[in-house]
Amino acid sequence: MEKLVLSATDEFPSVILDKSSSKFEIAGISIPHNSSDFYSPLVDWFKKYCKNPNPETVLECKLDYFNTSSHKYLTEIFKVLDTLHHNGGKVKILWYYNVEDEDMKLIGQELSHFLELPFEFKEF
């Protein structure tokens, strides 16, 4: 499976989706004007990945800030992983947040309650 690696910009987070090394990470700021153009390929990548996943999938989310439309697509990614989890796959979300950013921690907690995916919260 092709890995997907994107460098961060002023609007987009960095992305590493690499099945062969089991490295799955989204990091930085996400404020694109058209989230669909950026996130649809990520959602599609995870849908393809879930057809033949690794024994364990740990997605590291190290987002400093994201807008509402990014939230929608992140939720879509989590829903894909939630389906994998319900089908017996071992999945975990590592949700990193700045110790001074209580809002980002709360957003992660809300997502964890909305989905049945295991979330682990980590301060940085």
Side-chain angles (χ1 to χ4, degrees):
M1 178 167 196
E2 289 283 326
K3 67 181 171 181
L4 178 61
V5 178
L6 303 170
S7 298
T9 69
D10 291 340
E11 293 182 33
F12 304 112
S14 65
V15 175
I16 302 170
L17 303 178
D18 187 356
K19 182 180 190 296
S20 64
S21 69
S22 293
K23 180 73 174 171
F24 311 100
E25 179 182 283
I26 301 172
I29 294 173
S30 183
I31 53 171
H33 295 293
N34 188 342
S35 293
S36 177
D37 287 348
F38 181 79
Y39 280 101
S40 289
L42 278 65
V43 173
D44 292 342
W45 190 95
F46 274 108
K47 285 179 179 177
K48 185 177 176 184
Y49 166 80
C50 287
K51 292 178 182 176
N52 184 26
N54 291 351
E56 181 177 25
T57 304
V58 178
L59 174 58
E60 297 183 49
C61 293
K62 300 176 179 178
L63 293 161
D64 299 315
Y65 178 81
F66 54 88
N67 62 13
T68 304
S69 62
S70 296
H71 185 281
K72 174 187 170 189
Y73 283 97
L74 288 168
T75 302
E76 287 300 312
I77 290 169
F78 295 156
K79 284 180 181 178
V80 171
L81 293 174
D82 195 48
T83 300
L84 174 61
H85 175 69
H86 281 294
N87 291 332
K90 188 172 181 182
V91 181
K92 179 168 50 175
I93 306 296
L94 297 182
W95 188 267
Y96 290 82
Y97 64 94
N98 186 312
V99 67
E100 297 175 4
D101 189 353
E102 192 67 24
D103 289 339
M104 190 59 75
K105 180 181 179 183
L106 290 173
I107 291 168
Q109 289 172 334
E110 288 174 5
L111 285 166
S112 73
H113 293 301
F114 174 69
L115 303 161
E116 294 183 24
L117 283 171
F119 272 67
E120 186 175 322
F121 296 91
K122 296 188 169 275
E123 294 178 352
F124 67 87

